[in-house]
Every structure is written in C-alpha cells, then in structure tokens.
Amino acid sequence: MRITVFGATGPTGLLLIDQALAQGHEVVAYARTPAKLPSRSGLIIVEGQLADAAAIARAIEGSVAVLSLLGPSGKKEDAPPVVTGTRNIVAAMSEHGVKRLVAMGTPSAADPFDRKDLRVGLMVTAIRKFKPAAFQTIVSVDRVVRKSGLRWTIVRFPVLTNGPRTAGVNARRVGDKGNLRLSRANAAAYFLDQLTDETQIGRAPFVTDN
C-alpha cells in the first residue's frame, strides 16, 4: 500500500515510517529537511514547505491514504504553516481522489462524545493559557479535517513518551477511565492500524497506553 506521511521527520513520524516499511508499505515522506530522513528501500522523499500546494499534491498523488502528524512545536510562527499545510493536504487529496486521512490532534479540540475529565480539563486550560498559538493551531486543524468531506480520523494524543511498543492501546472518549500517556511507538502503530480499521472513521478517539 502506498501512503503519504506528513510530519515525517519528528520522533513519532520516524517510528511510523519504520513500522510502515516493516509492514511492506511504500511510504512517501514529505519533508522540509530531507536530510533528517534515512535512505531506505521503499521510502520516497518529497521536499517542500507546507505552503507549497503543488509539492504537496505531488507527494499525495498515487497514494491510497495520508497520515498527518503535523502539529505545533510551540513556536508562535508554527500556527499558520500547519493550518495552511492541512488545508493544502485536504485540497490535494480531493484533487487526486485520495479519501482516507488520519490526522493528529489533542484534547484541546473537543469532541461531541467527550465527557468531563478534571485531569484533561486542567491540561487543556494550561495549554490554552500558556501556549495560545499551539492551542489555536490544534483547534483550527481539527475544524479543517472535520469539514474536509474525506474519510477522516483524528487521533488525539495525550502526553507522548519514548516508552516501548506494547500490545494494544486504549482508544476512548475523554472522560473514560485511562491514563494520560502514550508511547510514540504505540502512537505510530495506531496510526498504521487505521489504514485497515474503519471503526474510527469520522471519529476522534483519545488514544492512550493501556
């Protein structure tokens, strides 16, 4: 299966690429800095900025799904490029008939199925107060994806760790019982699982370690 990955040079993106290649997928990685990516059989690297709609379209053409790990790094200037990049991804997918989109999110973007959770609420409040640009980016990306008309899943991450890959994760609503951590290895595996699992299409699970 040919897939396109955005946010490929981050820690989770690199793990996702490793796992995808191990499963026999052909991976197109879109990167601003290709040197950060390894030279691997089955890995195609497309260089470009998030504002470059034409380059994004080239990266998506011919793929059957797009996995986007784009998100704010905390810098104020990150917000417009990430949102613009997501809009360009959606437009390119529509242009080339690619329907499946799996995108990263966080609980900062609420879901209608969420319930009250004091711990998550405090975390979201802190992000909104101390990192308003990051908060707005997550909310804006969530809106773009939900309105895309694609077969989307927004995988909402808690605190990411460098823990090991384990057997399964807890994909739940905010407010359901569970911890607030997720290993990057498990996050990558869950993203890849969405290529064949249709149960979360049109949904935004909050995914944590078991």
Side-chain angles (χ1 to χ4, degrees):
M1 184 182 298
R2 180 175 173 133
I3 61 175
T4 301
V5 178
F6 291 86
T9 60
T12 308
L14 292 170
L15 289 170
L16 191 155
I17 288 172
D18 284 343
Q19 293 181 21
L21 293 174
Q23 292 180 16
H25 297 296
E26 182 179 45
V27 179
V28 181
Y30 191 82
R32 180 175 57 185
T33 311
K36 292 182 178 180
L37 294 168
S39 178
R40 298 274 299 277
S41 176
L43 176 62
I44 301 166
I45 301 173
V46 176
E47 181 177 0
Q49 304 287 331
L50 292 178
D52 191 339
I56 287 175
R58 289 196 301 272
I60 289 174
E61 184 177 11
S63 290
V64 299
V66 171
L67 307 183
S68 175
L69 288 161
L70 295 177
S73 68
K75 299 178 182 178
K76 291 183 179 180
E77 63 269 22
D78 282 348
V82 171
V83 178
T84 298
T86 303
R87 291 194 180 106
N88 286 335
I89 290 168
V90 168
M93 291 179 69
S94 299
E95 177 186 353
H96 292 295
V98 182
K99 299 298 184 182
R100 187 69 174 113
L101 172 62
V102 186
M104 185 195 78
T106 77
S108 289
D111 184 76
F113 294 102
D114 287 344
R115 300 190 299 176
K116 289 185 178 180
D117 187 305
L118 179 60
R119 297 175 303 163
V120 174
L122 290 173
M123 181 174 66
V124 170
T125 297
I127 293 171
R128 183 170 53 212
K129 181 177 180 179
F130 297 108
K131 296 184 177 180
F135 176 85
Q136 190 56 52
T137 296
I138 289 294
V139 171
S140 297
V141 167
D142 183 89
R143 290 171 181 166
V144 171
V145 173
R146 287 177 183 269
K147 295 179 179 179
S148 66
L150 300 170
R151 300 174 76 241
W152 58 266
T153 300
I154 299 170
V155 182
R156 293 186 294 164
F157 288 167
V159 177
L160 290 173
T161 74
N162 292 320
R165 182 175 175 181
T166 58
V169 295
N170 186 3
R172 57 189 175 91
R173 301 174 298 182
V174 169
D176 289 344
K177 185 177 180 180
N179 65 57
L180 296 181
R181 295 185 179 275
L182 177 67
S183 76
R184 290 182 172 87
N186 281 343
Y190 188 81
F191 255 68
L192 285 173
D193 286 345
Q194 301 316 297
L195 295 175
T196 54
D197 182 358
E198 298 189 348
T199 61
Q200 299 288 5
I201 291 176
R203 303 185 68 178
F206 181 46
V207 181
T208 63
D209 290 331
N210 281 323

